[in-house]
């Protein structure tokens, strides 16, 4: 046990990782959280969070993230910046391999989250950062009084359309089916906006533009086969997320989408390795469910370490 650098290492600093850190700290576990960039995860690109209980007026993503970090640090969580390259399980503890050093822990909690999916059509890469964006909160204000598009039909596309409606003159909301996937409440608000035009059963075939950036989208109605060209200055893609699990290199069983399989205690198939938040296979990916995962995993890790000590 003395060979461990930490009792628990948490990989990833979104709401699931920070809450795991808070609960680990309160359990008086010696815990380290490793975060690649800045803590907060996808919360950092969310302008206003209205569905996290306890904040009736909503709270900005960065502020909620900062509050979570402060709370976890108050109870002893250590946070460092670094990229985890691999995880090497072992009987005497698990090795967390960073770029410059390897740390050993009795338990590891994986909270590496997920990233934006791409459409994979011509022009998407070329115009990313020049009109094509995956973050309305980051880039929405660039399109004041302009015509833009949002692609997707889930909670992200709908909530980001509501945000973009503060700036844009017109928003083309492009969805591949005739029904949204996102919450009914968001649907009602989006469909009530005058400047939103929904293109049902429609896919983007190409992002078009020149050296200055995006100028238009070529879209196709999948029912009629009809093609149209929409003149837009910006296009936001919100078609879901892919889990950040490649670095695990096949270590753990994943579901078809690449998300880590766990039991209800957040345990993976390898004893002492847990997974929480968006990277985990589950139905609902929300801050509320991420923090629940984090709390559960920290307590599961505590029990696991107690059992180890008694052996
Ligand atoms: P999502 O729920 O997976 O929705 C993705 C949307 O993009 C779906 O409408 C899907 O169409 C469409 N899509 C997927 N691949 C596509 C493709 N290749 N071409 C065209 N359209 C495509 O993803 P999300 O909206 O990012 O949400 C991810 C998770 O975060 C969800 O669990 C969500 O509840 C949560 N979230 C919640 C909030 C909130 O509560 N305010 C905000 C953001 C995210 P189909 O419907 O046809 O599959």
């Amino acid at each position: 046990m003395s060979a461990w650098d930490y009792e628990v290492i948490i990989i990833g600093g979104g709401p699931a990782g920070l809450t795991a850190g808070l609960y680990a700290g309160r359990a008086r576990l010696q815990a380290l959280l490793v975060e690649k960039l800045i803590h907060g995860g996808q919360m950092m690109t969310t302008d206003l969070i209205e569905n996290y209980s306890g904040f009736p007026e909503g709270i900005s993503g960065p502020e909620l993230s900062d509050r979570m970090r402060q709370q976890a640090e108050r109870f002893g969580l250590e946070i460092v910046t670094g990229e985890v390259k691999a995880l090497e399980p072992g009987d005497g503890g698990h090795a967390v391999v960073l770029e410059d050093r390897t740390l050993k822990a009795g338990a590891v909690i994986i909270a590496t989250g997920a990233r934006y999916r791409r459409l994979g059509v011509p022009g998407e890469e070329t115009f990313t950062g020049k009109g094509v964006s995956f973050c309305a909160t980051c880039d929405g204000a660039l399109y004041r009084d302009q015509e833009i598009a949002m692609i997707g039909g889930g909670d992200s596309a709908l909530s980001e359309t509501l945000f973009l409606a503060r700036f844009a003159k017109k928003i083309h909301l492009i969805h591949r089916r005739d029904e949204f996937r996102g919450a009914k409440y968001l649907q009602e608000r989006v469909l009530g906006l005058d400047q939103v035009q929904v293109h049902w059963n429609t896919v983007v075939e190409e992002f078009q533009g020149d050296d200055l950036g995006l100028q238009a989208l070529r879209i196709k109605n999948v029912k009629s086969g009809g093609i149209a060209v929409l003149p837009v200055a910006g296009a936001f893609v919100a078609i879901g997320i892919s889990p950040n699990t490649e670095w695990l290199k096949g270590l753990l069983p994943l579901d078809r989408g690449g998300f880590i399989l766990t039991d209800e205690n957040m345990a993976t198939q390898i004893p002492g390795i847990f997974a929480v938040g968006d990277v985990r296979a589950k139905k609902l990916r929300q801050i509320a469910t991420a923090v629940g995962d984090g709390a559960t995993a920290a307590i599961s890790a505590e029990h696991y370490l107690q059992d180890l000590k008694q052996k």
Side-chain angles (χ1 to χ4, degrees), residues 51 119 153-156 175-177 181 239-240 285-286:
N51 56 0
L119 283 167
D155 283 340
S156 297
H175 184 39
R176 64 180 177 183
R177 287 193 293 138
R181 181 180 290 275
I239 60 162
R285 292 193 172 80
Q286 297 279 305

Side-chain angles (χ1 to χ4, degrees), residues 51 117-119 151-157 159 175-177 179-181 186 203 238-241 278 283-286:
N51 56 0
R117 290 184 57 203
R118 304 286 203 258
L119 283 167
I151 300 120
D155 283 340
S156 297
S159 57
H175 184 39
R176 64 180 177 183
R177 287 193 293 138
E179 197 185 359
F180 289 129
R181 181 180 290 275
L186 291 172
V203 294
I239 60 162
I241 53 173
D278 282 2
K283 282 230 166 77
L284 186 62
R285 292 193 172 80
Q286 297 279 305

Side-chain angles (χ1 to χ4, degrees), residues 54-116:
F55 297 92
E57 289 85 30
I59 181 165
S60 84
E63 188 183 348
L64 181 58
S65 162
D66 206 50
R67 283 168 170 254
M68 286 183 175
R69 178 191 55 77
Q70 284 179 37
Q71 197 173 356
E73 285 182 333
R74 192 179 135 212
F75 289 99
L77 177 70
E78 197 182 322
I79 301 179
V80 294
T81 305
E83 183 168 359
V84 175
K85 297 288 184 190
L87 179 56
E88 293 167 0
D91 289 338
H94 304 305
V96 176
V97 181
L98 292 138
E99 307 101 314
D100 54 347
R101 59 193 163 139
T102 294
L103 295 170
K104 226 169 182 192
V108 172
I109 299 175
I110 300 169
T112 46
R115 60 180 182 279
Y116 305 119

